[in-house]
Amino acid sequence: MVESEHDAALEDTDRLHGRSALVDNVKAAVALAGAVRSTLGPRGLDKMLVEEGGSVTVTNDGVTVLQTAKVEHPTARLLISTSSSQDRAARDGTTTTVILTAEMLQNALELVRSGVHPSIIMNGYQIALEEALAEMEHMARAPQSEAERRAVVETSLAGKIDSSLTAHLTGLALEAADALAGEEGDADLERLRVKRLMVRDGTARESEIVHGMVLAKSRMDMATPANSDGGRIAIVDGDLENAKLELEASIEVTSTGALRSFHERARERLQEQVELLKSLDVDLLVVRDGVAEEAATMLTNAGITAYRRFEREDLERLARITGSTMVRDARRIKKEDVGTYSSRSEQTFSGVKHTRIDGSEGGAMTVLIRGTSPAVREEAQRAFDDALGVAHRLSGDSQLLPGGGASQIHLARHLRAFAPSQSGREQLAIEAYAAALEIVPRTLAENSGLDPIDAILTLSAAQVADSENGPWIGLDVMSGEKTRMDEAGIIDPLFVVRHALSGATEAANSVLRIDDVLWAKQDAQTPDWQSEMDQD
Ligand code: ADP
Ligand code: MG
C-alpha cells in the first residue's frame, strides 16, 4: 500500500495518497475504537492497563485507556486528542466520541468506494450535524426534580464504581458543585477550587466535603495556640527569610563588625515585617516558602501563629475562602490584603497532623477521599472527579437528554426523514451519518449481550409508537428492557451529547479532508492492535 516516491523533496518520506490514505486512516480509527468500544456503558468491561514501568490500572474509562496507550498512527492520535478535548470540555462522553468518529469514517469510506467524493461527504456530515444539534435542543429539557439531577450524575458514573459508592460520591459532587455555582473561571475551575486530600482512615463511603481548607501542616511554633475561633489572616506568596549574605558580590566583608551589622540589619527587617503584620491585627500568617527561625520567635511574641511551605494552589484556595490577597513581599502588605478566617483547628489524618482553616467567603473547599487502600482511594477520586466535572457543568447548563441510546435512535430517525430535503448526493452522506449515530445503542446492546440489530429495531419501533414520549425510550442495559429513560433515571447532560457529536464530526471531517499522508521515515506504525483489523 505504501508507495515510496523518489522525488528529491520526498526522499525520506513514505507516501500514502488519495484512496489508500483514507483506507489507512479509517483503519487506524476503527482499530482505536475497537480498543475502547467494549467499555461503553455500565455493562462495559474493564481494561487492565500495564505501563512500561509495570504499574497497573484497571479502568472502564475510555479516555484513560487511550491516554495510556502507546499509539503512533497520526489518525489514531487525532482521535485521542478529540477524546481528550471531550474530557476537558464535558468530563464525560469520551468513549462515545471515539466510536462515533470511527463509525462516521467507516460509513464515509463505503460511500467513497461507491463513488461519492469526500468533499460531498464532508458537506453532508456538516449539514447532518447542524440538523442533529437543532433537534437535540428541541428534545432536551430541564431536570424536573432533584432526583433527576442526581440521576444525571449517577448515570455518568454508572459501571465505573459500585453502586452504593456511586450514590455517595454523587451526593458529594452535587454538594461541591452547588458550593461553586455562579463562580467564574476557566475550564478547570472545579478542579482548581476543590482540593483533594487522600485520607487513609475510613472507607471510601466515608469520604466527605469540608467547606474549608485542610492542609497537611502544623504550626511552626508549638507555643502558639493550636486552635482559634477566627481572626485576621495574611498570606505571603514568598518568604520571611533573612536576606542572603552574598559574600563576593554585593558586600565586602572587611571585618567581623561589618558582618555583625549586616545580620543586625537583616534582623531589623524581619522585625519590621512582623510589626507591620501586628499593626494590621493579623494573628494568622501563612507563608508559601520559608520562615526564618528568628522570625518565628518574633511572630510568636507578636501573637501571630505562623505556617510555612505550601503549594501555591492551596494558598489560592485559602485566599479565596478568607477574602485575602496573596502578597509577594511581606513588607508591602496592606490593610485590604488581610482577610478573615472563621476558625482554625488541628486534626490528625492518616497519622499526620493537619490544620483546618475555615473562611466565610466560599468558593473553595476540600474533599477528603477516604479508603482503605491506595487503589480504592484513587478509584474513588477518579469517580469523584468525573462526577464533580459533570455536576459542575450542569449548574451552568442543566438541559438533559435521554441516555441508553434513545437520543441517537431518535436523531438517526430524524435525520433519515430530513435527508430528502437536501440536494443530490449529500443525502447519501446524511443517511450514512444517521446510521453512524446508531453505533451508540448498538454498542450498548452488544456490551450487555443483547442482539444489537434487534435492539435498534425494537427501540425505533417503540419510539415511533409513542407519539408523546417516543424520543425518551431507550435501552436499560441493566434490565435489558426498552423503557422510558427518565423513569429509569438514565439521563445524559445535553452538553455531553452535543460536544461528543460535534467533536466526532469535526474529527471525521478532518480525516476525510486528508488526501495525502507523508510519513517521515521513522518507524511510524499503525497501532499495536492493528492485527485485529487485518481481517477486514
Ligand atoms: P463515555 O466515555 O462515552 O461516557 P460510558 O462508558 O460512560 O462512555 O457510557 C456512556 C453511555 O452509557 C451513555 O450513552 C449513557 O446513556 C449510557 N448508559 C448509562 N447507564 C445506562 C443504562 N443503565 N442503560 C443503558 N445505557 C446506559
Ligand atoms: Mg461516561
Side-chain angles (χ1 to χ4, degrees):
M1 240 184 345
V2 178
E3 316 147 14
S4 291
E5 301 262 325
H6 290 285
D7 13 328
L10 298 177
E11 221 166 54
D12 288 327
T13 39
D14 282 336
R15 187 168 183 192
L16 282 178
H17 194 68
R19 176 83 64 89
S20 33
L22 182 61
V23 169
D24 182 72
N25 286 336
V26 172
K27 242 184 176 180
V30 170
L32 191 75
V36 295
R37 62 184 289 160
S38 68
T39 70
L40 188 78
R43 307 204 54 181
L45 300 176
D46 291 349
K47 298 271 172 193
M48 179 180 267
L49 308 173
V50 185
E51 282 175 71
E52 260 160 343
S55 71
V56 172
T57 314
V58 174
T59 180
N60 174 276
D61 190 29
V63 77
T64 311
V65 175
L66 294 179
Q67 283 168 349
T68 318
K70 202 163 152 255
V71 173
E72 282 166 7
H73 194 287
T75 302
R77 294 231 61 89
L78 174 85
L79 258 71
I80 294 174
S81 77
T82 303
S83 127
S84 300
S85 125
Q86 175 76 21
D87 185 48
R88 272 195 307 281
R91 297 281 191 258
D92 198 11
T94 54
T95 312
T96 304
T97 305
V98 171
I99 63 175
L100 275 173
T101 311
E103 196 69 8
M104 286 175 192
L105 282 171
Q106 216 170 16
N107 292 358
L109 181 58
E110 262 172 49
L111 285 181
V112 169
R113 282 184 169 140
S114 64
V116 183
H117 194 271
S119 66
I120 304 263
I121 303 175
M122 284 155 56
N123 200 22
Y125 276 13
Q126 193 56 39
I127 296 171
L129 170 66
E130 278 155 29
E131 183 62 24
L133 291 177
E135 180 60 15
M136 238 182 240
E137 299 288 334
H138 196 70
M139 284 175 82
R141 60 165 178 72
Q144 282 164 355
S145 62
E146 182 60 18
E148 221 169 62
R149 205 164 74 104
R150 283 191 73 95
V152 183
V153 180
E154 287 188 2
T155 301
S156 78
L157 289 185
K160 295 206 173 6
I161 206 157
D162 84 77
S163 57
S164 61
L165 191 52
T166 295
H168 183 68
L169 294 178
T170 293
L172 297 187
L174 287 169
E175 180 184 341
D178 286 344
L180 291 177
E183 295 278 328
E184 310 228 330
D186 56 16
D188 266 347
L189 179 112
E190 92 279 10
R191 292 197 172 162
L192 295 174
R193 301 292 187 79
V194 182
K195 177 185 172 68
R196 292 126 175 89
L197 193 69
M198 302 270 202
V199 177
R200 228 166 44 202
D201 332 285
T203 67
R205 230 161 296 162
E206 290 164 305
S207 298
E208 62 188 301
I209 303 275
V210 171
H211 294 275
M213 294 312 304
V214 181
L215 305 156
K217 292 284 163 188
S218 50
R219 60 201 193 279
M220 275 189 78
D221 185 350
M222 291 302 139
T224 53
N227 302 303
S228 159
D229 294 336
R232 287 164 61 78
I233 174 175
I235 304 178
V236 176
D237 182 22
D239 62 40
L240 237 76
E241 299 274 22
N242 282 312
K244 292 277 178 304
L245 181 57
E246 288 166 26
L247 276 173
E248 283 126 350
S250 50
I251 311 168
E252 261 182 57
V253 185
T254 49
S255 66
T256 46
L259 189 59
R260 194 176 307 127
S261 83
F262 176 82
H263 279 315
E264 202 47 49
R265 278 205 306 281
R267 206 187 132 73
E268 274 165 23
R269 251 172 53 164
L270 285 176
Q271 189 64 50
E272 280 162 22
Q273 295 175 38
V274 173
E275 293 301 328
L276 174 59
L277 291 167
K278 194 179 170 188
S279 74
L280 295 170
D281 277 335
V282 169
D283 65 296
L284 175 58
L285 176 69
V286 177
V287 180
R288 181 158 69 88
D289 293 329
V291 176
E293 292 305 327
E294 229 175 350
T297 316
M298 298 173 190
L299 287 163
T300 303
N301 292 338
I304 299 173
T305 306
Y307 291 81
R308 66 181 164 183
R309 302 203 193 284
F310 290 89
E311 300 283 331
R312 193 194 191 101
E313 291 82 53
D314 281 339
L315 295 193
E316 280 168 359
R317 296 179 188 117
L318 192 57
R320 191 161 287 277
I321 63 170
T322 57
S324 11
T325 311
M326 306 198 309
V327 288
R328 285 204 63 79
D329 184 345
R331 284 172 300 173
R332 296 210 159 61
I333 190 159
K334 291 190 289 297
K335 200 170 149 216
E336 56 274 22
D337 299 324
V338 175
T340 53
Y341 66 99
S342 51
S343 71
R344 174 176 61 85
S345 56
E346 292 194 354
Q347 230 175 317
T348 301
F349 293 112
S350 312
V352 175
K353 193 73 85 49
H354 284 61
T355 297
R356 171 176 173 173
I357 300 172
D358 285 10
S360 48
E361 300 293 318
M365 69 212 85
T366 309
V367 59
L368 305 181
I369 303 282
R370 297 180 184 270
T372 42
S373 76
V376 168
R377 291 192 290 272
E378 271 157 34
E379 198 184 11
Q381 164 155 354
R382 268 203 304 276
F384 172 78
D385 279 351
D386 290 350
L388 174 62
V390 168
H392 172 61
R393 280 158 186 72
L394 219 46
S395 327
D397 180 355
S398 66
Q399 291 293 104
L400 309 178
L401 283 174
S407 299
Q408 291 81 5
I409 293 272
H410 172 78
L411 292 171
R413 216 180 49 254
H414 178 84
L415 288 175
R416 285 188 181 110
F418 162 81
S421 71
Q422 296 299 301
S423 63
R425 295 181 166 208
E426 268 93 356
Q427 282 186 32
L428 297 174
I430 296 169
E431 280 160 13
Y433 190 93
L437 294 182
E438 289 174 345
I439 190 66
V440 174
R442 219 172 336 133
T443 308
L444 287 170
E446 234 167 61
N447 288 350
S448 54
L450 298 170
D451 182 86
I453 296 175
D454 282 351
I456 287 178
L457 293 176
T458 326
L459 284 180
S460 297
Q463 288 200 350
V464 174
D466 185 337
S467 58
E468 208 180 324
N469 296 304
W472 279 74
I473 297 175
L475 173 69
D476 180 353
V477 298
M478 300 320 275
S479 66
E481 300 293 326
K482 63 171 182 349
T483 173
R484 283 261 305 266
M485 293 290 98
D486 43 351
E487 286 167 1
I490 304 167
I491 312 174
D492 289 327
L494 170 64
F495 65 80
V496 172
V497 185
R498 182 174 52 206
H499 198 280
L501 198 59
S502 310
T505 311
E506 194 182 308
N509 276 352
S510 65
V511 172
L512 289 172
R513 204 172 289 124
I514 299 167
D515 179 47
D516 218 352
V517 179
L518 302 175
W519 291 97
K521 283 207 175 120
Q522 48 147 7
D523 214 27
Q525 270 164 18
T526 38
D528 292 339
W529 47 77
Q530 196 222 353
S531 51
E532 287 175 30
M533 292 309 306
D534 283 343
Q535 60 225 28
D536 164 68

